[in-house]
Amino acid sequence: MPFKITMGQTHSMPSSRKRHSRRSFRTPFTRNNTHGSLSATFNYFEPDLKVNQLNINHATEEELMTLPGVTRRIARNIVEYRQAIGGRFNKVEDLALVSGIGADRLDDIRPEICITRRKVHSCTSSRTQSLDSVKSNDLSPVSVRTPLDVNKANAFQLMTIRGINQELAASIVDYRQRRGDFFTLDDLLKVKGMSTVRLSSLRPKLTVKSEPIIERKAAIKQETSINSIPNGKPAGISEKISCNGSVGAVKDVYELVSAYCHRPTTVIKEIPQKDFRLASWNLTDMCREKAENNAVREVFCLTLLENRISFVALQGIQDSCSLRMLCDEFKIPLCKRVKEWKGSRGNWVFQFVPMQSAGEASNLGFIYNAQLLRHVLVKVVQDNSMMHAAEANITFCGSTINVLNVHLMSNSCESSFATLLETINPAIILGDFSLLKNCDKSSPACYKPLLSTNTSTKSASYVQKSCYDNIFFKESSLSHYAGENGVIRNGLNHLAIPKGWNWNGVVSDHCPVWAQLTI
């Protein structure tokens, strides 16, 4: 799923129908009784807007997968069960008998399914939208008979098309924002989440009408000149842009969501001039698409700034582009909260360490504040199926500290880890040791871990795998340890980060672990 900010909608059910509560996380926004319950992101109330419920007697696997919580396996079970009972469900409740559905999941998807072809007012849906603060004239109801122009439609309107969920709508808008208009419907295949099968079912409902290039350039130029006015009115600009479904709507939505994401109150004493903080953080499949999510960059940057961290050893990196985007957010911030940070953001640079034997998201990296750490030399010291390791020499206040960034793989063994430490003999070891049991006991006696093996570094309760990140100090280097360390557990989630079919996800499955050094 792409990491993009999108919006959902919720409509009130007719009084004759039973209301079904969704089991998604509760939003912190103030409820408005006239507009129904709020979804995980935003709600927009438009009583005239209708969408078709999904007919489970005719839906394909791809269409069934647009329902909340329905994976491909569950969609296949539905189709196979439907064939086994004669090709037709007699009532919606029969769906609960399908493996993977049950009564709870049926309650979640009941408002979106039917066994007839009649139209009803849309109900709670991951494919729909609403927010009472958004003006109804910003969104014109989309006729199901009139094809929707993908070059004009905003994320709200795209989600009224059956088969386009929140994530796909956000990807279409984001791709159009970065690459320009679609020339043909086949260009939609370049959007992440769009498949040939899905596009074939969407073709009758979509169209492409590109505006003249000259007019488009003039509009962009006008928008840029207005935004450059020091005393301009961004609210008026964004309202005008949102009518056309362009960049301003998505940007304003993100900023509104971000305002409701409270950052933790971190009160720390000033760090002495001869001290600095380093950390280890597995960013869990960090790729360009993930780094393009404003919320991911905001959480990453603020976490480092709030905790005064100057050097981070990173694991779980897919490409160098993602690290470049994280560094650029410090230099030229696009996120409002990062831009408004009080104090110096520093001059952050990165070094990407590709691993030849790694999967696409198992590379290493370093990111550090060059204003404080002026010389960081990096080299690969281990690259095989058991372990990835990169060495970095940090020069700070005239002294050089040797650190090792380690990511243990699935078939790592205790002896290989110990052998590497004896060979490299680093002063400090940082990394992800989740796949090595009792690694603090198997390490050479001259290394001391900051955290015990029973300390979990999972960032959220819904993360399935176990996480154990740590920092090891060589006994002869303990004089550099200032006695301060910690596991950052708060402020890692954001309402605009997807969490399956819900929101308020975390930027990574792992919590960063940090330690303070002194020279």
Side-chain angles (χ1 to χ4, degrees), residues 280-288 312-323 326 350-367 378-384 387-391 405-409 430-432 469 508 510:
S280 175
W281 199 355
N282 187 327
L283 291 181
T284 313
D285 303 334
M286 175 59 69
C287 58
R288 174 171 182 165
V312 190
L314 301 171
Q315 306 88 38
I317 308 300
Q318 177 172 323
D319 50 46
S320 61
C321 183
S322 59
L323 296 185
L326 294 176
F350 74 93
Q351 294 200 37
F352 176 66
V353 188
M355 295 290 164
Q356 300 299 325
S357 62
E360 63 176 7
S362 299
N363 299 298
L364 303 179
F366 296 91
I367 182 171
V378 176
K379 66 177 180 179
V380 177
V381 296
Q382 189 86 340
D383 184 5
N384 53 43
M387 186 184 313
H388 297 148
E391 183 183 22
N405 184 3
V406 177
H407 188 186
L408 301 180
M409 309 307 291
L430 309 95
D432 177 10
D469 304 84
S508 170
H510 299 250

Side-chain angles (χ1 to χ4, degrees), residues 26-37:
R26 299 297 180 186
T27 173
F29 300 115
T30 305
R31 293 182 178 274
N32 188 328
N33 294 332
T34 62
H35 290 180
S37 61

Side-chain angles (χ1 to χ4, degrees), residues 3-40:
F3 290 78
K4 313 295 180 203
I5 173 63
T6 58
M7 295 189 264
Q9 84 175 6
T10 303
H11 293 298
S12 300
M13 290 285 291
S15 58
S16 61
R17 299 181 65 86
K18 180 180 178 181
R19 295 180 183 270
H20 299 279
S21 61
R22 297 292 299 272
R23 288 171 171 80
S24 60
F25 75 99
R26 299 297 180 186
T27 173
F29 300 115
T30 305
R31 293 182 178 274
N32 188 328
N33 294 332
T34 62
H35 290 180
S37 61
L38 289 173
S39 68

Side-chain angles (χ1 to χ4, degrees), residues 204-382:
K205 310 169 188 177
L206 302 175
T207 187
V208 172
K209 297 179 181 179
S210 299
E211 62 185 10
I213 297 178
I214 297 178
E215 294 182 7
R216 183 175 181 82
K217 288 183 177 180
I220 295 175
K221 182 177 181 181
Q222 180 181 4
E223 176 188 339
T224 304
S225 62
I226 295 176
N227 283 326
S228 64
I229 299 176
N231 297 323
K233 297 181 179 180
I237 298 171
S238 59
E239 182 179 345
K240 178 180 180 180
I241 297 175
S242 64
C243 296
N244 296 325
S246 58
V247 183
V250 177
K251 181 178 179 181
D252 284 355
V253 168
Y254 161 73
E255 291 183 354
L256 184 55
V257 172
S258 184
Y260 283 90
C261 296
H262 301 290
R263 298 296 305 171
T265 302
T266 55
V267 180
I268 63 173
K269 58 184 179 181
E270 287 297 325
I271 298 178
Q273 291 184 355
K274 290 189 176 182
D275 289 9
F276 76 96
R277 290 184 173 183
L278 53 74
S280 175
W281 199 355
N282 187 327
L283 291 181
T284 313
D285 303 334
M286 175 59 69
C287 58
R288 174 171 182 165
E289 288 77 13
K290 185 173 180 178
E292 285 176 345
N293 186 307
N294 288 341
V296 170
R297 298 197 310 277
E298 176 186 306
V299 170
F300 178 84
C301 294
L302 292 181
T303 298
L304 300 189
L305 293 174
E306 290 169 352
N307 293 277
R308 309 296 195 272
I309 296 173
S310 302
F311 178 91
V312 190
L314 301 171
Q315 306 88 38
I317 308 300
Q318 177 172 323
D319 50 46
S320 61
C321 183
S322 59
L323 296 185
R324 181 178 293 106
M325 296 180 69
L326 294 176
C327 282
D328 289 345
E329 185 62 33
F330 285 107
K331 299 175 183 177
I332 309 176
L334 300 178
C335 301
K336 183 178 180 181
R337 282 189 169 182
V338 179
K339 187 182 302 183
E340 294 177 348
W341 171 259
K342 296 180 180 179
S344 174
R345 293 190 297 268
N347 178 26
W348 290 81
V349 297
F350 74 93
Q351 294 200 37
F352 176 66
V353 188
M355 295 290 164
Q356 300 299 325
S357 62
E360 63 176 7
S362 299
N363 299 298
L364 303 179
F366 296 91
I367 182 171
Y368 55 92
N369 185 357
Q371 284 184 352
L372 189 65
L373 309 173
R374 299 187 181 280
H375 301 286
V376 176
L377 302 178
V378 176
K379 66 177 180 179
V380 177
V381 296
Q382 189 86 340

